[in-house]
């Protein structure tokens, strides 16, 4: 299934994409794409629905972030061998973990704002993992059984804030609109192998990132298992698993986003995001 949330920001309704590409309203079935709806039982109930009997959503509504009530927005840094190389950094012995503020979360096609004082706002296409059930001390072998589904994330980053403003990376990762998620939450049964998904990102029609999850240093299963040794993961928690090479910081000369730029990014089977950049 491809689950989604549609409608004005702050008033999104749950939906599902049918085989013809129509959005079907799920608000008569679940309150939102969160919590118990993400469990194996909740997803099984949704799979059993006759989508043809659900109301079709008319027009072209705004698409919101594909999961609601995110408790934790956990990110993994330097998790692609080729991206670490372009950054001039060694691959880490353990996953590099940081957080984005949940207030950064926005819809996949919403406007991206360059924060005040920014001089190095950058892009990062990433595979997002949405947790479906309580996860604590899980093994790698069982980790993917705890996943509700996968999605596209743009882990936008202000490099000067991230690297030169002291402390952890969170300062450069958490500006409003720096966490577009979606368009769809694609349930795990539709993704045969999360470690073999081509991905790309373009700015103004130029393809900067053209990679695959098969170059991840730590797999999604490894990341989930690792995180669960240090914190419990809850339904609706989002993990952004790192980016392939081609970020603006890695260009020669370095290239960063500016007002008026347009981004397009996608992952095979998970959909496409399109964002217009403005000054915040």
């Amino acid at each position: 299934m491809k689950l989604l949330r549609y409608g004005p920001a702050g008033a999104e309704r749950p939906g599902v994409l049918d085989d013809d590409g129509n959005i079907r309203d799920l608000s008569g079935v679940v309150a939102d794409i969160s919590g118990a709806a993400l469990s194996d039982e909740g997803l099984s109930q949704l799979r059993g629905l006759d989508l043809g009997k659900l109301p079709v959503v008319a027009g072209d509504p705004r698409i919101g972030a594909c999961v609601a009530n995110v408790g934790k927005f956990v990110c993994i840094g330097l998790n692609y061998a080729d991206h670490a190389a372009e950054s001039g950094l060694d691959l880490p012995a353990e996953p590099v973990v940081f957080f984005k503020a949940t207030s950064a979360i926005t819809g996949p096609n919403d406007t991206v704002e360059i924060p005040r004082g920014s001089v190095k706002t950058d892009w990062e296409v990433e595979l997002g993992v949405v947790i479906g059930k309580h996860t604590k001390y899980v093994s790698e072998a069982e980790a993917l059984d705890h996943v509700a589904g996968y999605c596209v994330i743009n882990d936008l980053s202000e490099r000067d804030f991230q690297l030169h403003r002291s402390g952890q990376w969170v300062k450069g990762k958490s500006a409003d609109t720096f966490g577009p998620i979606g368009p769809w939450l694609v349930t795990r049964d539709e993704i045969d192998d999360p470690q073999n998904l081509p991905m790309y990102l373009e700015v103004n029609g130029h393809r900067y990132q053209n990679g695959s999850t098969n170059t991840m240093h730590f797999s999604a299963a490894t990341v989930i298992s690792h995180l669960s040794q240090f914190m419990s993961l809850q339904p609706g928690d989002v993990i952004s698993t790192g980016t392939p090479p081609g970020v603006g910081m890695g260009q020669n000369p370095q290239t960063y986003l500016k007002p008026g730029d347009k981004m397009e990014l996608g992952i095979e089977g998970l959909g496409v995001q399109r964002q217009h950049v403005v000054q915040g």
Side-chain angles (χ1 to χ4, degrees), residues 80-95:
Y80 282 69
D82 32 16
H83 172 56
E86 76 170 347
S87 301
L89 297 169
D90 293 332
L91 284 169
E94 292 189 357

Side-chain angles (χ1 to χ4, degrees), residues 265-278:
L265 57 148
I267 299 177
E268 186 175 280
L270 301 183
V272 173
Q273 299 185 358
R274 296 181 179 89
Q275 295 129 14
H276 181 71
V277 179
V278 300

Side-chain angles (χ1 to χ4, degrees), residues 14-243:
V16 59
L17 202 68
D18 69 19
D19 291 338
D20 296 320
N22 299 308
I23 298 174
R24 299 279 181 162
D25 181 41
L26 280 176
S27 58
V29 182
V30 292
D32 214 334
I33 307 301
S34 63
L38 297 171
S39 68
D40 289 346
E41 296 77 13
L43 294 177
S44 179
Q45 178 191 9
L46 294 179
R47 286 191 197 94
L49 295 173
D50 181 350
L51 299 188
K53 294 182 179 179
L54 296 174
V56 174
V57 177
D60 186 21
R62 170 188 171 271
I63 303 298
C66 59
V67 60
N69 305 316
V70 175
K72 292 190 285 295
F73 196 169
V74 191
C75 301
I76 307 299
L78 301 175
N79 197 28
Y80 282 69
D82 32 16
H83 172 56
E86 76 170 347
S87 301
L89 297 169
D90 293 332
L91 284 169
E94 292 189 357
V96 174
V97 179
F98 62 94
F99 289 83
K100 289 175 86 84
T102 55
S103 53
I105 293 173
T106 190
N109 303 316
D110 288 348
T111 297
V112 165
E113 299 178 1
I114 296 177
R116 294 180 185 179
S118 168
V119 292
K120 296 181 178 180
T121 294
D122 206 345
W123 56 81
E124 294 188 12
V125 60
E126 304 202 1
L127 171 67
V129 176
V130 178
I131 297 298
K133 56 185 170 184
H134 179 80
T135 303
K136 187 174 183 179
Y137 300 130
V138 71
S139 68
E140 286 188 35
E142 297 178 338
L144 296 186
D145 294 337
H146 290 244
V147 173
Y150 302 93
C151 60
V152 181
I153 294 177
N154 191 352
D155 176 23
L156 288 141
S157 312
E158 211 297 332
R159 303 299 187 189
D160 188 57
F161 297 177
Q162 176 187 356
L163 301 174
H164 303 131
R165 295 294 294 272
S166 301
Q168 299 180 349
W169 291 359
V170 67
K171 289 181 181 178
K173 297 285 188 171
S174 294
D176 290 353
T177 76
F178 267 27
I181 298 178
W184 331 122
L185 171 61
V186 181
T187 52
R188 72 172 189 264
D189 57 298
E190 288 201 17
I191 303 301
D192 292 334
D193 183 3
Q195 301 310 140
N196 191 31
L197 300 175
M199 57 208 306
Y200 75 94
L201 184 145
E202 298 176 352
V203 180
N204 301 326
H206 177 79
R207 183 159 295 197
Y208 284 95
Q209 294 189 274
N210 195 23
S212 171
T213 58
N214 63 23
T215 67
M216 283 172 66
H217 181 43
F218 300 108
S219 69
T222 300
V223 165
I224 294 166
S225 177
H226 181 78
L227 290 173
S228 78
Q229 310 307 307
F230 302 98
M231 68 193 80
S232 63
L233 301 172
Q234 311 298 330
D237 283 351
V238 174
I239 305 169
S240 201
T241 57
T243 198

